[in-house]
Amino acid sequence: MYDYMVRICRARRFGFIFLVIHCAPSALAGKMKIVEEPNTFGLSNPLAAQANRLQPKVSPSPVSGPAHLHRLSGKCFSYIESTYKYEFCPFHNITQHEQTFRWNAYSGILGIWQEWEIVNNTFKAMWMREGDSCGNKNRQTKVLLSCGGSSKLAQVSEPSTCMYSLTFETPLVCHPHSLLVYPTLSEQLQEEWDEAEQARYEELITEQGYNNLLKDIFEEAGFLKTQKVTEKDSSNRTKKFESLEKCNEEFQKQSEEIERLQALLTQHNIPYEKQPASPPSAAENSQNPVSVAPPVASRNSRLRGDTGLITGQL
């Protein structure tokens, strides 16, 4: 606490009071208390009102990639260019804050951690997508990793509108094998990659088929954002009807379409298997057991993925 000495001097001639404040020497010996606030991952601009806290559209993807880079999670690195401050939080997001005291100082999310960019068995860059809206699209940022003496943001640019490019330097990627993908995979996924390499070497699959297999492996490992539709999502797409009458109408249309296609197949002497109109009863099944033949794999079947076209065949 500061000690203050206040002396009131009354000026009789002019009829008003002077307040003279002297700061005691003990005030100079006071210590400032430093409070360390929790990391906000750049979502709060210290120069803006608390109500202007940024709201991300999606949650970040799980931490993935080389294990020695996981230590960067939870940390943020700042870079100031002109009147803007950029904050890069690996495996979380990247934000931009205008460093002015204007009442409407700009703050925005330039991207949220989504996936890796992999080229030639190497983690090349980190993709931050689903940032703030920019016209009819969302802002996104590509973060390139480069060897450096310390971990820091080294460069920020905007190659095209709402598309940003950052260079992040760190000694964690200076080793020539530090960004290789294969060593980070599980043993099972490494075996799948080995099989894909062998199949490409024997020309059993095309380059396109090989790349599709690698994409499946990277998605399984969590390095890429999967684009596959889950079973739960597909079930939500089931068509629902407002009433039983409309459901019956749709069923009648589908039945007529099936009959038309069956007649077309018969006209061209194409055999097909007729499906019963209603499922057989349990008694009918017991009297006429149906034998199910085991599936026969085609000669050119493959074990996984889209293997593309086989060389020399149409």
Side-chain angles (χ1 to χ4, degrees):
M1 297 294 294
Y2 291 110
D3 297 329
Y4 297 98
M5 298 174 59
V6 181
R7 182 176 61 189
I8 303 177
C9 302
R10 180 179 300 274
R12 297 179 180 177
R13 182 176 180 180
F14 298 101
F16 53 84
I17 298 175
F18 293 97
L19 294 180
V20 181
I21 301 176
H22 295 279
C23 181
S26 59
L28 301 177
K31 294 183 179 180
M32 179 182 295
K33 183 178 180 181
I34 300 177
V35 180
E36 183 176 352
E37 297 182 355
N39 196 342
T40 61
F41 296 103
L43 299 180
S44 179
N45 185 355
L47 300 180
Q50 184 65 23
N52 293 337
R53 181 181 175 90
L54 302 180
Q55 299 296 329
K57 295 181 179 180
V58 297
S59 299
S61 297
V63 177
S64 64
H68 58 277
L69 295 183
H70 294 182
R71 69 187 69 179
L72 296 175
S73 178
K75 299 180 180 180
C76 293
F77 303 88
S78 301
Y79 181 86
I80 297 179
E81 181 176 287
S82 185
T83 59
Y84 289 99
K85 177 182 179 181
Y86 299 87
E87 282 194 82
F88 169 55
C89 305
F91 304 108
H92 202 278
N93 65 16
I94 179 166
T95 57
Q96 181 188 46
H97 302 286
E98 185 178 2
Q99 299 295 284
T100 64
F101 288 95
R102 296 190 301 119
W103 67 272
N104 60 343
Y106 173 79
S107 289
I109 300 177
L110 303 186
I112 299 173
W113 161 241
Q114 295 293 301
E115 62 182 354
W116 287 96
E117 179 177 319
I118 299 176
V119 179
N120 296 330
N121 186 25
T122 303
F123 293 104
K124 183 179 180 181
M126 304 176 71
W127 273 105
M128 306 283 185
R129 296 193 175 97
E130 302 300 330
D132 287 347
S133 299
C134 181
N136 58 354
K137 59 182 180 180
N138 296 329
R139 301 176 190 272
Q140 58 179 339
T141 304
K142 180 178 181 179
V143 181
L144 299 170
L145 303 179
S146 176
C147 174
S150 61
S151 296
K152 63 179 181 179
L153 276 180
Q155 185 179 2
V156 178
S157 62
E158 188 176 0
S160 58
T161 305
C162 304
M163 170 67 188
Y164 303 86
S165 177
L166 272 72
T167 300
F168 179 69
E169 294 183 355
T170 175
L172 298 176
V173 300
C174 290
H175 192 279
H177 297 163
S178 60
L179 293 176
L180 292 181
V181 176
Y182 187 87
T184 64
L185 296 173
S186 65
E187 185 176 347
Q188 177 183 353
L189 293 179
Q190 287 181 354
E191 291 179 359
E192 292 186 16
W193 194 339
D194 294 340
E195 293 175 3
E197 289 283 357
Q198 184 65 25
R200 182 177 67 164
Y201 175 77
E202 296 177 357
E203 297 185 353
L204 297 177
I205 57 176
T206 62
E207 193 67 22
Q208 177 184 354
Y210 171 77
N211 291 331
N212 289 335
L213 289 177
L214 288 189
K215 183 180 179 182
D216 290 341
I217 292 174
F218 298 156
E219 289 180 354
E220 181 69 21
F223 302 154
L224 300 181
K225 198 84 171 179
T226 179
Q227 302 296 329
K228 297 178 181 178
V229 179
T230 61
E231 185 177 350
K232 181 178 180 180
D233 294 335
S234 352
S235 62
N236 293 336
R237 297 184 182 181
T238 304
K239 189 173 182 179
K240 296 182 180 180
F241 301 94
E242 298 178 356
S243 63
L244 180 61
E245 181 180 358
K246 291 186 177 181
C247 179
N248 290 332
E249 291 178 0
E250 184 65 23
F251 176 78
Q252 184 64 28
K253 291 180 181 179
Q254 295 293 336
S255 299
E256 293 175 357
E257 178 65 14
I258 292 175
E259 292 177 359
R260 185 187 70 82
L261 295 175
Q262 289 177 343
L264 189 62
L265 293 174
T266 303
Q267 180 181 355
H268 292 83
N269 297 323
I270 300 176
Y272 64 92
E273 182 180 355
K274 295 183 178 181
Q275 298 293 335
S278 60
S281 62
E284 293 176 349
N285 284 335
S286 60
Q287 295 177 0
N288 301 309
V290 179
S291 59
V292 180
V296 179
S298 63
R299 182 178 58 182
N300 294 326
S301 63
R302 295 289 179 264
L303 297 179
R304 66 182 71 77
D306 177 12
T307 56
L309 299 175
I310 299 178
T311 306
Q313 297 187 11
L314 297 179

